[in-house]
Amino acid sequence: MQGLKKKTAETGGQRAAEVAYSAIRTGILNSRWKGGSHLREQELASAIGVSRTPVREALRRLNAEGLVTLVPNLGARVNDWKAHDLDEIFGLRALLESYAVELAASRIGEDEIAELKRLCEKMEGLIVEGQRIDHQRMSVYNDRFHGILYEASGNGRLRQLLKQVVEMPLVLRTFARYERRDLMRSMNHHREIVEALQAKDGAWAASVMRSHVRAGRAVFLDAATSS
Amino acid sequence: MQGLKKKTAETGGQRAAEVAYSAIRTGILNSRWKGGSHLREQELASAIGVSRTPVREALRRLNAEGLVTLVPNLGARVNDWKAHDLDEIFGLRALLESYAVELAASRIGEDEIAELKRLCEKMEGLIVEGQRIDHQRMSVYNDRFHGILYEASGNGRLRQLLKQVVEMPLVLRTFARYERRDLMRSMNHHREIVEALQAKDGAWAASVMRSHVRAGRAVFLDAATSS
DNA sequence: TATAAGTTCGTTGTATACAAAGCAAGCATG
DNA sequence: CATGCTTGCTTTGTATACAACGAACTTATA
């Protein structure tokens, strides 16, 4: 339970509940605890350096977001992910994310398309023959790419649902070992989506996005069974 | 602020946070406060008969569900609904609900189909020439009809998202004045969905469901502009 | 008068004390 | 030996006291 507490300088400006939330959240996403672990309020509270009150608030929020499961009088357990759960989640994600690009196709502007292209270049730049791939950086660019599309959909609640659905299985990203050809295909999808958006062809963009998500599902399924 | 507190017999078995949650929730759904009202924690607490702690928990939950909006250090305000919000919500609902019946088509059993038919009959029985329609009862049956479909989708997270999305604008149900022909059409939709499910034709069921939701949107839009 | 700093009060945020629920070990009893 | 009860401990749930923040009002100053 060491290392959860961040430097006072960072936490100073924020509310304790927010600090607790992000501390626990990053802990879960970095697999500090394994799936099914019981998260004790007092333990978390002293590790983070706040009282139980904001910790409880954080746990409720994480429960609503699907990262932990709360049982009355028994507390919180870290969710673990079976193949069935991933099927549910990726099914929803394919649906929502393709809907988002379909909406985006008729609303997205030149600036955002330019930004998408820049991100494509950056991501492709990370795939160099014979070199190890910086997955961390890749994730950042990829998240930004998809985030721009959520925004461009113009539907705030859709954006919110998507962020939630996408985040759930993110614990497995650590274990997801993208092969080079998976990544190449991913890059091609991105490029094709941008092209479809530029052509204002929502159906095309949506179709590619569905493929994109379902291809990602396969990688995560491997991660789930092997972790 | 009277009348929020229920009889002790009812509240006795439940946790205070749960009591607070459903008290505030039903208050909002019954338009006890108008959109934009500031909900004060102490006020709610004494009205319900619990302390601020469970009230705060309830407000966070209602915030996550989209019924209130929480601003740090300023508290909770009851959400109000403009045409734009309804467009977002019904767009999502059409998407998710049609996906649900599409999944349900290949999984639903005879028992559930029989139950759907029974509900159709009950609802149709409420529409009698020259008599006032019992909208309260209609809502109960209608919710149960759709609930069965959510379950039959076999996707727990989809069910959860749908419940959330459907509940958001439910404040307006009070003001939604369904004309007789709106209801007749609704009944026809229900019947057609059941038939499509029985034929295991997911695409058909999904298509009718999309129409069903979008027709509902129009009624709610009227309610939003007139309330 | 207009503006800015100071003040007060109401409300939310956090810590802490206490109540109640769950669980396990030990004991009694059939 | 198995079953059920008791007891003690751990953990969560709730109430309450206090701290911190924000908004409106007051006062000082140009």
Side-chain angles (χ1 to χ4, degrees), chain A residues 15 56-57 60 64 72 81 84-85 88-89 91-92 95-96 99 154-158 160-161 164-165 168, chain B residues 15 56-57 60 64 72 81 84-85 88-89 91-92 95-96 99 154-158 160-161 165 168:
Chain A
R15 309 191 339 271
R56 282 176 64 83
E57 188 175 326
R60 303 300 150 121
W81 304 97
H84 172 72
D85 300 297
E88 285 195 11
I89 289 169
L92 280 171
L95 185 76
L96 293 170
Y99 180 54
N155 186 325
R157 286 170 185 86
L158 172 59
Q160 193 188 327
L161 288 186
Q164 202 172 311
V165 168
M168 286 188 204
Chain B
R15 298 173 332 174
R56 282 176 65 83
E57 188 175 326
R60 303 299 148 118
W81 304 98
H84 172 71
D85 300 296
E88 285 195 9
I89 289 170
L92 280 171
L95 185 76
L96 293 170
Y99 181 53
N155 186 326
R157 286 170 185 87
L158 172 59
Q160 193 188 328
L161 288 186
V165 169
M168 285 187 205

Side-chain angles (χ1 to χ4, degrees), chain B residues 24-42:
Chain B
I24 301 172
R25 178 176 170 278
T26 58
I28 292 175
L29 260 37
N30 294 337
S31 313
R32 187 185 301 270
W33 307 279
K34 50 182 156 186
S37 301
H38 186 184
L39 299 181
R40 270 163 272 262
E41 296 174 358
Q42 185 56 60

Side-chain angles (χ1 to χ4, degrees), chain A residues 83-178:
Chain A
H84 172 72
D85 300 297
L86 290 177
D87 274 338
E88 285 195 11
I89 289 169
F90 275 89
L92 280 171
R93 190 175 162 189
L95 185 76
L96 293 170
E97 201 133 12
S98 59
Y99 180 54
V101 285
E102 185 155 1
L103 292 178
S106 60
R107 309 180 82 262
I108 198 167
E110 283 303 322
D111 295 356
E112 289 138 308
I113 290 195
E115 176 67 10
L116 290 176
K117 284 180 179 170
R118 264 193 300 275
L119 287 166
C120 280
E121 279 161 25
K122 284 184 180 172
M123 286 190 273
E124 286 156 3
L126 291 176
I127 308 178
V128 183
E129 198 72 38
Q131 274 190 25
R132 284 186 58 82
I133 290 163
D134 186 343
H135 286 92
Q136 178 107 30
R137 196 111 66 95
M138 182 69 87
S139 291
V140 172
Y141 293 148
N142 187 62
D143 288 352
R144 206 178 299 165
F145 185 93
H146 286 265
I148 288 174
L149 297 178
Y150 304 163
E151 288 296 338
S153 76
N155 186 325
R157 286 170 185 86
L158 172 59
R159 180 177 54 72
Q160 193 188 327
L161 288 186
L162 259 169
K163 284 196 171 177
Q164 202 172 311
V165 168
V166 168
E167 183 174 66
M168 286 188 204
L170 230 51
V171 204
L172 297 173
R173 195 179 249 178
T174 322
F175 305 100
R177 279 283 147 251
Y178 280 91

Side-chain angles (χ1 to χ4, degrees), chain B residues 13-24:
Chain B
Q14 300 192 59
R15 298 173 332 174
E18 193 66 24
V19 175
Y21 167 75
S22 52
I24 301 172

Side-chain angles (χ1 to χ4, degrees), chain B residues 103-174:
Chain B
L103 293 178
S106 59
R107 310 181 81 263
I108 197 167
E110 283 303 323
D111 295 357
E112 289 138 308
I113 289 194
E115 176 66 11
L116 290 175
K117 284 181 179 168
R118 262 194 299 276
L119 287 166
C120 280
E121 278 161 26
K122 285 185 180 172
M123 286 189 274
E124 285 157 4
L126 291 177
I127 309 178
V128 182
E129 197 72 39
Q131 275 191 23
R132 285 186 58 83
I133 290 163
D134 186 343
H135 287 91
Q136 179 107 29
R137 196 111 67 95
M138 183 68 88
S139 291
V140 173
Y141 294 147
N142 188 62
D143 288 352
R144 207 178 298 165
F145 185 94
H146 286 265
I148 288 174
L149 297 178
Y150 304 163
E151 289 295 339
S153 77
N155 186 326
R157 286 170 185 87
L158 172 59
R159 180 177 54 72
Q160 193 188 328
L161 288 186
L162 259 170
K163 283 197 171 179
Q164 201 172 312
V165 169
V166 167
E167 183 173 67
M168 285 187 205
L170 229 52
V171 204
L172 298 173
R173 196 180 249 178
T174 321

